[in-house]
Every structure is written in C-alpha cells, then in structure tokens.
Amino acid sequence: MRRKNKTALVLCGGGSQGVAEIGFYRALTEKGIKPDFIIGTSVGAINGAFIASGLDIDQIKELWLEISHQKLYRLNPELLWKWGNATSLFKPTGLKQFLMNYLPVKTFEELSIPLTVVATDLQKAEPVYLDKGPLLHALMASSAIPVYFPPQIMNGDQLVDGGITNNIPIDTAYGMGASAIYCMLNVCRHQFKRSVSGLFDTLIRSSEVSQYQKLRDDTDRIAPDAELYLLDMCINTQLTGVLDFSKTEIIMEEAYRFSKKALERGYGCVPLPLNSGHEIPQKIANSYLPV
C-alpha cells in the first residue's frame, strides 16, 4: 500500500495512566509535530477527542486536574441486591456528565482533526472503529472497561472498552495510510519490578499481556514501511489502580520530560529510567527491543 505522507497520533488505553499522553502530546507540539489524524482507544479516545476538538495543552491539562479533584465513579447500587448479576462495579454517570460539560463539540464531524475511536463488540468479538455521529456515545463505549463499567448500546450493538481487542491501534493507523506514526504506551510491556496484586490489577495486567504479542507482530510488519515512533516509558509513579487519579500532575510531567528527551534525540522505543543518568541510544530507526 502506498503511504499517504500523513502523520498519525495513536493514543492507547491505560486508565488513569492515560494522562501520560498529555505530556507526550505537549512534547510533540513543541517539536512542531502535528497529527493529520488521531486514533484513540479507551482513555486515549477521550484524550484524542479533546485534542481533535482544538483544545490547547493548558486547557487539556486543566481538564485532567479537574478529573483528579472530582469523584467521577460511584459504586453501582445494583451490587446490593444483584451481586454477580449486576451490570458493573461502578456507574459511569460522573464521567458522562464530565464529558458533556467539557467537550467543545458533540459530533465527530465538528472536530478539527479527524478522530477514530476504537471499541469492542461483545457479540461479534471484534473491534469496532467509530468515526461518525455522536461523539459522547463513542467515548463512553470505548472506555467501558468490562466489570468496572457497563457495556454501552450503540445501534443495537453491545460495546465495551476498545482495549480488549486493540489497545495499541498502530495497525489501524498504518491501514489508514500513515507514513509516520507516533504513540506512547500507557502501560509497561516489560517486566514489572513489583508483584501484581489484587483481583482487578491482575485482571487488567492479564489483559495487557495478551496485547503484547499483537504489538510485536504489528511492529514487525509496520516498521519496514513507515516511520514508527513507539515510546515505552514504563511509568515510575506508583498508582493503586486504573482509577487512581491522585498522581495526575506528576505523571504528566514525567511523561513530558521523557518524551521531550526522546524526540530530541531521535529515540525509538527502548525504555529509559528518567533519573538513571543513562544516555538515550542513537536513533533506532523503525525498530524496537523485544520484550
């Protein structure tokens, strides 16, 4: 397929760690890199919508700080009488209201930059790519983490978090003809330095692990034919879970410093501890280090 000389920004899922993408995007804008289109999964879809709507970095940063100060998720009262038959652990009402209040536009067609949102069809067991019509419903579907939040119904289809089927949609960007693809992973694909503990952290980490073989395959296929900038930061700041927004500003700054250094030196996707004193290697053209 002939490349279209287009730049794609790919934004992944990762819950509260998704704020790292704002630091990453700040570094991109400072370097003069502007996406021709955006593809987002889960929290990456929400970030993508804010970016594509024309909000600047300072405005998006303020929105993330607002999220960290609000309680967007409350326990689902169905748990009191339905137990395991409840639709979810949490009600996403707060998130929905937040998006209704702060999204500058209501439809995909009103966005300044084309956006594709990834969700998962539970019945068909396949990814769904949304780029037309109401924006809010697509974002709620893409971020509906199973068990945590209830599935969303769109056009009769039961949709959940896009991260289940395509959490790192660099293949979609490539399929849309991108000649340059920029992406930061929100979750660490390398060996954890700490034990994974707790029911829900284990569930989330297991889902992440299942995506990494797809990432390796996608990278092998895409790298020879396109400029692939895949930054793998492995966030050092410890969070208690995917809904822990207490370290928002710290993670945003950590991601910015990492991304700025990486982009300045033409760095590909080797993880670098920020305070290790190590130098970033020379540019790794269209390659990656295996997990």
Side-chain angles (χ1 to χ4, degrees):
M1 178 180 181
R2 186 177 179 182
R3 303 291 100 200
K4 298 179 179 178
N5 198 27
K6 297 285 187 180
T7 297
L9 175 61
V10 175
L11 302 172
C12 311
S16 51
Q17 291 188 165
V19 69
E21 293 174 334
I22 306 308
F24 174 51
Y25 181 64
R26 177 184 167 192
L28 288 177
T29 57
E30 288 183 0
K31 196 169 176 59
I33 298 167
K34 298 180 180 180
D36 294 295
F37 61 92
I38 301 171
I39 303 169
T41 296
S42 197
V43 68
I46 294 173
N47 283 333
F50 284 132
I51 292 170
S53 68
L55 295 181
D56 62 31
I57 286 293
D58 289 336
Q59 290 172 312
I60 299 172
K61 178 180 178 180
E62 287 304 313
L63 289 178
W64 265 96
L65 294 177
E66 185 69 21
I67 290 174
S68 69
H69 295 147
Q70 291 190 24
K71 189 171 183 178
L72 297 184
Y73 309 108
R74 298 186 182 278
L75 281 174
N76 186 352
E78 291 180 359
L79 292 167
L80 295 174
W81 68 89
K82 288 188 176 181
W83 293 90
N85 290 321
T87 55
S88 61
L89 282 174
F90 299 98
K91 285 286 189 182
T93 312
L95 175 61
K96 184 175 183 179
Q97 189 61 52
F98 178 84
L99 293 175
M100 289 174 64
N101 290 343
Y102 292 108
L103 274 175
V105 301
K106 296 185 181 300
T107 66
F108 281 93
E109 288 76 11
E110 296 173 84
L111 294 170
S112 302
I113 304 171
L115 171 69
T116 299
V117 168
V118 186
T120 298
D121 188 314
L122 278 183
Q123 274 66 48
K124 297 176 183 176
E126 64 185 20
V128 176
Y129 299 97
L130 308 168
D131 59 6
K132 295 180 178 63
L135 186 57
L136 177 64
H137 297 316
L139 298 180
M140 293 299 295
S142 182
S143 57
I145 306 172
V147 179
Y148 281 82
F149 306 116
Q152 302 292 302
I153 306 300
M154 290 186 64
N155 300 319
D157 297 321
Q158 196 177 30
L159 304 184
V160 295
D161 196 297
I164 301 302
T165 48
N166 199 355
N167 194 46
I168 310 166
I170 57 173
D171 58 328
T172 307
Y174 180 74
M176 293 171 67
S179 56
I181 301 170
Y182 290 85
C183 176
M184 170 178 275
L185 303 184
N186 287 331
V187 292
C188 185
R189 67 188 173 98
H190 297 273
Q191 182 175 339
F192 268 19
K193 295 180 180 179
R194 59 181 175 83
S195 298
V196 180
S197 60
L199 176 63
F200 299 112
D201 277 356
T202 302
L203 177 67
I204 294 294
R205 181 59 175 168
S206 299
S207 176
E208 292 168 3
V209 170
S210 70
Q211 290 284 327
Y212 296 147
Q213 182 59 54
K214 178 181 181 302
L215 176 62
R216 287 192 291 266
D217 293 343
D218 287 345
T219 305
D220 285 341
R221 179 168 57 91
I222 294 169
D225 195 34
E227 293 182 45
L228 178 59
Y229 298 88
L230 185 63
L231 273 63
D232 190 354
M233 187 176 75
C234 290
I235 294 168
N236 295 318
T237 303
Q238 296 297 309
L239 299 173
T240 58
V242 294
L243 301 183
D244 177 5
F245 295 94
S246 63
K247 308 289 177 54
T248 288
E249 199 159 11
I250 295 172
I251 293 175
M252 196 185 311
E253 182 62 23
E254 186 180 352
Y256 166 69
R257 289 188 291 117
F258 175 88
S259 302
K260 181 179 175 65
K261 187 181 292 186
L263 293 169
E264 283 174 352
R265 303 190 186 181
Y267 162 65
C269 42
V270 180
L272 176 74
L274 285 174
N275 299 315
S276 67
H278 294 168
E279 291 293 311
I280 293 176
Q282 289 184 324
K283 182 172 182 178
I284 301 173
N286 302 329
S287 67
Y288 74 111
L289 287 187
V291 176

